[in-house]
Amino acid sequence: MKIYFNKWPFFKKIKPKHIAAHSILQKSVITKSSFTSRTFFIFIVLVTAAVLLIWKAITLQFVESGFLRDQGDRRFVRVAPVIAHRGNILDRAGEPLAVSTPVDSVWVSPREVFASARIAELAANLNINSEEFTLRMSRNLDRSFLYVARQLQPADAARVKALGISGVHLKREYRRYYPTGEVAGHILGFTNVDDSGQEGLELNYEPVLRGEDGAKRVIQDREGHIVQDVESIRSVRPGRDVALSLDMRIQYLAYRELKAAIQSNRARSGSVVVIDVTTGEVLAMVNQPTFNPNDRNQFKADGYKNRALTDMLEPGSTIKPFIVAAGLSSGLYNPLSIINTDASLKVGTKHIQDHKPLGSINLTTALAKSSNVALVQIGLTLGPQRMHAALSKLGFGQASGTGYPGESAGILTPVSNMKPINIATMSYGYGLSVTPLQLAHAYATLGAGGISRPLTFRKVDSAIEGEQIIPKHIASVVLNMLENVVSQEGTGMRASIPGYRIAGKTGTARKLVRGTYSTNQYVAVFAGLAPASNPRLATVIVIDEPSMGSYYGGDVSAPVFAKIVGGSLRLLGVAPDAAILRNVDEMPSTVPGFETGPQDILLDVPIETVKTAILSSDSVQVRR
């Protein structure tokens, strides 16, 4: 604003100094007014900003807090699993057979690894083809998690970690180890890379061993590392240990002797089952060929299947004791019954005869000489109802009840389909199929005085109650008959064990090949009980397709029985129940570390006198 003082008379009278003072005063008024306006403006701006900030804070704190918290959690908060430790598998003495140990697996963020330009270096340290690894990374750039190596050895995992490559991480897992290797591989089975049971007892007891994984909420950094545990969501429940019935001393002994027998006879395969007659526990179960569950390269179906439970065989003459027991139970026969075996029998179109005429024989001789003619006559007299009932009660044609994965039930012809020819062939072990475990269970029933106890792979503290399916006195009579099989006059003399009475039966069966019975492929079997006076062990030996000349059960399988059972009885401290017929020095040393020493036991020494001598390692000589 311009003020023209010279236009007004009043101002003409005013002196210049008065005009200057007035001008200064006017400027001062204008400056104060401008300052006040600016202050007010700034105040309004600050108040507005404060209101906006308060409003935004309120909005963030109360209105959008859930959304923002969710977004933050999605970026940094994760729910991490807490892996449950798998339970151990132990033998009956508490020795570990399967344990899970912590190992590290390598996972990557493909985009970060690809950007690091160190793919070739990582591939070299993981022993992976560099080109294939690069291709795999490029195909998974959209993923944030990718396993590249599982369950590394500690040294290998440490080497990868030391590389310091961006996007490469380690994850703690568990790997299953089997200290006994192939000795117990078939019965234990194995787990997969995630430590879940896939075969054998690992699968059978999966609900017990597996446990229950826990979960926790954690905060991770941008590279996926856990920087803080926020809270526990679910507690972890470790798996429980399982104590098996296996006695690894007997298991190793059976493994060693079966392997030697398979090699010496150039056989295709073989199985051994050892059962504790008093409890129904499976003390040993081995097969050949075997596999090592620690080596995943050996995981082939034909290699890891448990032949003792999955493979079926026609039992041959090892079925005959049960036909005799059925005949005695029916009341149609007694131990002194005489059967004429001079002539061959014709049943339907089939002629049945023995390898040589045996004349008129009693039941004991029929078993000792393994007479097909005598047993067929007993079977035909029994008829389909009694025959089927006797065999089905023993467990043939049905699973054993152990729950073992993949177990075969065997084959037993239904009563309605049983023709005379079926009965005749079943009487000497053809026309029905059993597993080695079923056969061993049947012999254990005979050894237990006719009481059938449930089989178990778990350790039990006391005898399991069973069902009386064969009268006790008849089981005792048949047991005595079977002792003659292992005598000098029987077919199983090579199963004899110095100091122990043995009851058993040999079996030799032709194999069914493409619908016809082979003339050069056989299965050699021996099944027996020891000691016969008070059976403790029921054992079945199966050698499939021996090819070194002899193929009879008495020549091929019986010696294996003697070595395994002889060593097992000494390991268990079972007292001898017979006179020693030869020097203890000559007894087979089938127990690792067992030394007989210079004992000299003479013929026909009373058993009470022998007991201390045979179990002692001191030099002793016993005389009558």
Side-chain angles (χ1 to χ4, degrees):
M1 176 185 289
K2 294 181 180 181
I3 302 177
Y4 299 92
F5 296 98
N6 57 350
K7 292 184 178 181
W8 300 91
F10 173 77
F11 286 105
K12 289 181 179 181
K13 296 179 181 181
I14 299 176
K15 295 179 179 180
K17 64 179 181 178
H18 292 157
I19 294 174
H22 180 78
S23 178
I24 292 172
L25 178 63
Q26 191 174 29
K27 287 181 179 180
S28 176
V29 172
I30 293 173
T31 301
K32 288 182 179 180
S33 176
S34 176
F35 176 78
T36 302
S37 299
R38 291 171 183 168
T39 302
F40 181 75
F41 176 76
I42 292 173
F43 174 77
I44 293 300
V45 171
L46 291 175
V47 169
T48 302
V51 170
L52 291 175
L53 289 173
I54 293 172
W55 174 254
K56 187 62 177 179
I58 293 174
T59 301
L60 295 176
Q61 186 69 25
F62 299 103
V63 180
E64 298 180 357
S65 61
F67 170 78
L68 295 173
R69 189 180 299 110
D70 178 65
Q71 291 297 312
D73 289 348
R74 288 187 181 184
R75 288 165 172 77
F76 298 104
V77 178
R78 297 288 185 270
V79 174
V82 181
I83 306 300
H85 184 272
R86 188 174 181 85
N88 299 325
I89 298 180
L90 314 171
D91 77 346
R92 65 185 304 105
E95 293 299 320
L97 303 180
V99 295
S100 292
T101 58
V103 293
D104 288 316
S105 292
V106 180
W107 68 273
V108 302
S109 172
R111 187 179 296 275
E112 292 184 54
V113 174
F114 204 81
S116 70
R118 299 177 66 185
I119 294 180
E121 183 181 0
L122 178 60
N125 281 271
L126 293 175
N127 295 320
I128 302 175
N129 182 276
S130 179
E131 294 182 0
E132 294 179 358
F133 189 62
T134 302
L135 182 62
R136 186 182 178 194
M137 291 294 103
S138 64
R139 289 177 175 175
N140 291 277
L141 292 177
D142 58 331
R143 298 179 59 177
S144 60
F145 183 98
L146 180 67
Y147 275 122
V148 293
R150 301 294 297 272
Q151 301 181 349
L152 294 180
Q153 295 292 335
D156 296 333
R159 186 174 63 251
V160 172
K161 183 179 181 180
L163 296 176
I165 301 175
S166 177
V168 177
H169 311 277
L170 299 181
K171 181 180 179 182
R172 179 53 54 91
E173 295 183 315
Y174 289 97
R175 179 176 179 177
R176 204 66 162 170
Y177 285 97
Y178 302 90
T180 59
E182 63 182 34
V183 174
H186 281 122
I187 192 168
L188 293 177
F190 54 86
T191 62
N192 62 10
V193 72
D194 294 315
D195 215 21
S196 297
Q198 299 297 297
E199 284 289 335
L201 295 181
E202 288 277 25
L203 177 58
N204 192 26
Y205 297 126
E206 175 70 8
V208 179
L209 295 166
R210 180 182 59 231
E212 184 178 342
D213 291 347
K216 62 181 179 179
R217 187 169 283 108
V218 300
I219 295 177
Q220 295 180 340
D221 61 16
R222 61 184 294 272
E223 294 183 351
H225 300 130
I226 294 177
V227 296
Q228 182 182 350
D229 290 342
V230 178
E231 62 177 336
S232 174
I233 300 174
R234 183 175 62 254
S235 298
V236 62
R237 181 182 66 80
R240 300 193 299 275
D241 292 348
V242 173
L244 300 184
S245 58
L246 291 184
D247 187 322
M248 284 309 298
R249 301 172 301 171
I250 300 176
Q251 179 78 8
Y252 173 77
L253 184 58
Y255 164 82
R256 188 185 70 180
E257 296 302 335
L258 178 63
K259 185 174 183 178
I262 295 298
Q263 292 175 347
S264 62
N265 289 283
R266 293 185 182 177
R268 178 175 176 268
S269 62
S271 298
V272 173
V273 179
V274 182
I275 296 175
D276 189 328
V277 172
T278 61
T279 61
E281 296 171 293
V282 177
L283 298 180
M285 179 179 287
V286 297
N287 302 278
Q288 286 290 334
T290 186
F291 83 109
N292 188 342
N294 294 308
D295 183 3
R296 295 189 177 275
N297 293 324
Q298 298 184 28
F299 287 9
K300 299 177 182 178
D302 190 58
Y304 62 64
K305 71 174 180 177
N306 191 342
R307 300 174 186 274
L309 292 114
T310 61
D311 284 11
M312 297 184 293
L313 65 139
E314 291 180 301
S317 295
T318 56
I319 202 72
K320 291 177 180 178
F322 308 110
I323 306 302
V324 171
L328 294 172
S329 299
S330 69
L332 300 174
Y333 294 88
N334 64 64
L336 301 178
S337 296
I338 301 298
I339 301 175
N340 191 314
T341 64
D342 282 333
S344 64
L345 293 178
K346 183 179 181 181
V347 182
T349 59
K350 184 175 181 62
H351 288 273
I352 299 169
Q353 59 186 16
D354 294 324
H355 63 285
K356 66 178 181 179
L358 298 174
S360 296
I361 58 176
N362 58 27
L363 298 186
T364 300
T365 304
L367 282 180
K369 298 296 184 180
S370 199
S371 172
N372 291 344
V373 174
L375 270 295
V376 168
Q377 291 182 59
I378 296 174
L380 292 174
T381 304
L382 288 173
Q385 295 287 349
R386 290 193 185 98
M387 174 75 82
H388 188 277
L391 296 178
S392 61
K393 283 183 179 180
L394 287 164
F396 297 124
Q398 53 195 295
S400 66
T402 62
Y404 195 94
E407 180 184 0
S408 299
I411 299 173
L412 180 61
T413 304
V415 176
S416 58
N417 294 338
M418 276 192 177
K419 304 296 189 293
I421 187 60
N422 300 120
I423 297 174
T425 56
M426 288 171 60
S427 298
Y428 55 89
Y430 287 86
L432 76 161
S433 295
V434 304
T435 64
L437 180 65
Q438 287 177 325
L439 190 59
H441 187 204
Y443 273 81
T445 298
L446 192 64
I451 298 175
S452 177
R453 291 190 172 91
L455 292 177
T456 178
F457 288 106
R458 300 189 73 167
K459 179 183 178 181
V460 298
D461 297 323
S462 58
I464 302 174
E465 292 185 6
E467 178 186 0
Q468 189 83 45
I469 63 173
I470 300 175
K472 185 176 182 179
H473 69 284
I474 290 176
S476 179
V477 168
V478 175
L479 202 61
N480 290 334
M481 291 179 178
L482 290 177
E483 285 193 69
N484 288 276
V485 176
V486 193
S487 69
Q488 295 293 326
E489 303 299 324
T491 60
M493 61 174 293
R494 297 187 66 183
S496 61
I497 302 171
Y500 294 96
R501 291 163 52 191
I502 306 299
K505 187 71 187 75
T506 59
T508 307
R510 291 181 175 181
K511 294 189 67 174
L512 189 64
V513 180
R514 292 186 291 275
T516 59
Y517 284 100
S518 173
T519 58
N520 59 5
Q521 293 178 321
Y522 298 87
V523 177
V525 186
F526 187 88
L529 295 155
S533 61
N534 185 23
R536 175 69 184 277
L537 300 179
T539 305
V540 167
I541 313 293
V542 177
I543 306 294
D544 185 18
E545 295 187 26
S547 59
M548 285 298 290
S550 180
Y551 52 81
Y552 292 109
D555 295 330
V556 176
S557 298
V560 183
F561 174 93
K563 293 176 182 178
I564 294 174
V565 176
S568 299
L569 291 173
R570 291 192 288 275
L571 286 168
L572 296 173
V574 177
D577 63 343
I580 305 297
L581 300 180
R582 55 192 172 115
N583 292 339
V584 178
D585 296 349
E586 300 172 7
M587 295 171 64
S589 56
T590 56
V591 184
F594 178 80
E595 296 180 359
T596 57
Q599 298 97 327
D600 182 19
I601 311 300
L602 299 186
L603 299 178
D604 301 321
V605 179
I607 188 61
E608 291 78 14
T609 310
V610 174
K611 285 169 60 175
T612 305
I614 193 172
L615 295 177
S616 171
S617 60
D618 299 329
S619 178
V620 62
Q621 189 165 351
V622 181
R623 298 185 181 278
R624 268 199 286 192

